[in-house]
Amino acid sequence: MKVYTKSGDKGLTSLIGGERVSKTDLRVEAYGTVDELSAFTALLGDRMRGEEPLCDLVPRLEEINCRLMSVAALLAVGRGGEDKLAPLPEEAITRLEEQIDEMQAQVPAITKFTIPGGHVLLSLCHVCRTVCRRAERSALRAAVGHEIDPAALRFLNRLSDWFYLLGRLVTERLKIEETLWRP
């Protein structure tokens, strides 16, 4: 099978179920942003792989990427595809919440916002967090006019918090001085 089909040359693409839509459709924007997040998540995992105090986190990032593929697919459902995918299981959100609580217990409490930077891995955590926030906003816009799995929306919301705590955990484990916002 060829990678290119030429069927999108006029700015249209197919959703799951066969519906043809513009590549500027809100659902396409949403799953494209989730795809971007997936690429950044993979980059973060690849960069962590060689860091001894962080390598136990790589399987979590790989699990996140599997879930992101599911979220992207759920955002790509069009007319005729409603019964082709199972909704995101609630356990995916519960697992994120458990990991957030676990990471938060490992870092000192703060009362100010943190500023990204200080180490490439910390910065990548914040890139993932901000792309995740954009993906969530895109998915919410798509949900205004289309049926979107509510669990997928909640997953994106929790995931941005997960990346924030991951950044704080990276700071703690690598002994990076955390920069707090002081207005």
Side-chain angles (χ1 to χ4, degrees):
M1 182 170 119
K2 289 186 175 191
V3 172
Y4 61 90
T5 63
K6 299 183 182 180
S7 64
D9 289 351
K10 294 194 180 215
L12 298 177
T13 192
S14 293
L15 298 177
I16 295 171
E19 180 183 359
R20 298 284 291 169
V21 297
S22 169
K23 291 182 178 181
T24 62
D25 186 283
L26 294 174
R27 293 165 292 182
V28 177
E29 180 66 32
Y31 74 68
T33 308
V34 170
D35 187 32
E36 180 184 355
L37 174 59
S38 178
F40 277 118
T41 301
L43 177 61
L44 177 59
D46 289 343
R47 295 297 299 260
M48 277 189 181
R49 211 171 298 281
E51 294 284 340
E52 187 54 43
L54 302 175
C55 54
D56 66 306
L57 299 170
V58 174
R60 289 184 184 189
L61 289 166
E62 292 167 347
E63 179 184 340
I64 294 291
N65 250 343
C66 287
R67 294 294 187 190
L68 286 172
M69 288 295 288
S70 297
V71 168
L74 288 163
L75 291 167
V77 171
R79 277 189 313 276
E82 298 86 0
D83 60 348
K84 303 226 184 271
L85 295 174
L88 195 68
E90 285 297 321
E91 73 178 32
I93 298 159
T94 303
R95 185 148 166 78
L96 280 181
E97 291 170 345
E98 290 167 353
Q99 290 179 8
I100 289 168
D101 292 343
E102 176 191 316
M103 288 188 286
Q104 193 161 18
Q106 295 177 49
V107 297
I110 57 172
T111 59
K112 299 190 178 339
F113 290 107
T114 57
I115 304 291
H119 192 282
V120 69
L121 291 173
L122 174 58
S123 295
L124 276 172
C125 288
H126 284 282
V127 168
C128 289
R129 176 185 60 79
T130 58
V131 174
C132 186
R133 292 261 190 224
R134 182 161 37 92
E136 180 189 10
R137 290 189 305 271
S138 292
L140 288 167
R141 280 191 297 275
V144 170
H146 304 282
E147 189 69 32
I148 303 293
D149 178 28
L153 298 173
R154 286 195 310 280
F155 181 83
L156 290 172
N157 181 267
R158 294 304 182 291
L159 185 58
S160 60
D161 294 333
W162 188 92
F163 279 117
Y164 175 74
L165 262 299
L166 180 64
R168 296 214 55 230
L169 186 60
V170 165
T171 300
E172 182 70 17
R173 288 190 182 181
L174 294 182
K175 307 295 185 227
I176 302 165
E177 185 175 342
E178 193 165 46
T179 305
L180 299 178
W181 180 47
R182 301 191 195 289

